[in-house]
Amino acid sequence: MDLLRHLEFFVAIAEEEHFGHAAARLGIAQPPLSQGLQRLERALGVVLVDRSSRGARLNAAGRDLLPRARALLEDAEDLRRAAGAHGAAPVRIGAVPQLPIRTLAVLVTACSDPPEIVTAPSTELLDALSAGRLDLAIVMHPALLGSLQSGPVHRMATALLVPAGHPAATTPGPVVMRSLRGLALATPPRSNGPAAHDLLLDTLEQRGLVTTPVNAPDDRAALALVAAGRAFAITADPDLDAPGVVRREVAGEPLPLRLRVAWRGHRPAVLDAVLDALP
């Protein structure tokens, strides 16, 4: 059992007095939160929280143990900071797959010491950040950040990738989004970042394009779907290209890739370097 992680669940539930609110704060679904608390209670041999339809309230044991749980979490955070000050471990940075590899390279070289890079969807990165497995993460915006700290929203220019045989690819110039009707959108699944996914589809609909998403976990998968003539894609990577794919600008208002840097607790030492490396 990951004791610290489950203590974090306990503290969040105690402070929010609601399982749903605690799950949103931690950036995870409610079932694993509830299961984590149950595992903690089994391990300690005591029930900590009284559940009801109105929420979650600490019982006497929960109220007694809550300060000790907070102290353990604070000590663990102090230990991580102390280890980091001694250079015991590289900084751990997470990034969504939509971040162009060129930008990622700039970011890495901006850090004084080589960081450890993890690529994963926003939801997984935020979960890892909350659990202390990452020092900071570059995630899609908007996203549920809960108690995490965050910097400004960064907007990266994007382009459309359209199958070469589609009428929108045969006409030069920017593409009006509604001209892509009937073509699916290659994009990461909604579970990777529900809020950002919904915002994109809503924006396309406002511009006259109701499209069906087809799952593409990263830009490479999206490129393959476009090359096969099955979908169009939106990318911030200026180098993404393949035979059978045509790159076009978006007509009208741009569709930027919105990113945000998030971290937990104290400001990471590499934060300024990371923020400066992003557009």
Side-chain angles (χ1 to χ4, degrees), residues 1 6 9 32 34-44:
M1 184 182 72
H6 293 113
F9 289 179
S34 179
Q35 293 161 12
L37 177 63
Q38 291 172 9
R39 281 195 289 272
L40 177 65
E41 290 177 327
R42 285 197 298 271
L44 297 178

Side-chain angles (χ1 to χ4, degrees), residues 145-232:
L145 299 177
S147 60
L148 297 173
Q149 309 296 314
S150 62
V153 177
H154 298 262
R155 293 172 173 80
M156 298 188 69
T158 64
L160 291 175
L161 300 180
V162 184
H166 192 275
T170 59
T171 305
V175 172
V176 177
M177 295 309 300
R178 61 176 177 272
S179 69
L180 298 177
R181 288 174 183 166
L183 201 57
L185 168 64
T187 188
R190 184 176 185 275
S191 58
N192 285 12
H197 185 275
D198 292 348
L199 176 61
L200 174 59
L201 293 188
D202 288 346
T203 302
L204 294 178
E205 186 170 347
Q206 290 168 6
R207 299 173 69 161
L209 176 61
V210 178
T211 182
T212 302
V214 55
N215 286 346
D218 52 34
D219 275 357
R220 293 179 61 185
L223 186 67
L225 289 168
V226 177
R230 293 183 54 197
F232 75 96

Side-chain angles (χ1 to χ4, degrees), residues 4 23 35 38 52 71 83 91 97 103 128 131 134 156 161 170 183 205 214 227 234 237 241 247 262 265 273 278:
L4 292 176
Q35 293 161 12
Q38 291 172 9
S52 73
V91 174
T103 305
L134 288 175
M156 298 188 69
L161 300 180
T170 59
L183 201 57
E205 186 170 347
V214 55
I234 302 169
D237 189 340
D241 194 11
R247 178 180 290 266
L278 292 173

Side-chain angles (χ1 to χ4, degrees), residues 14 20 31-32 63-64 77 86 91 117 121 129-130 161 168 211-212 217 233 235 274 278:
R63 290 191 294 273
D64 179 53
E77 186 64 28
H86 287 286
V91 174
I117 300 295
L129 202 57
S130 297
L161 300 180
T211 182
T212 302
T235 181
V274 172
L278 292 173

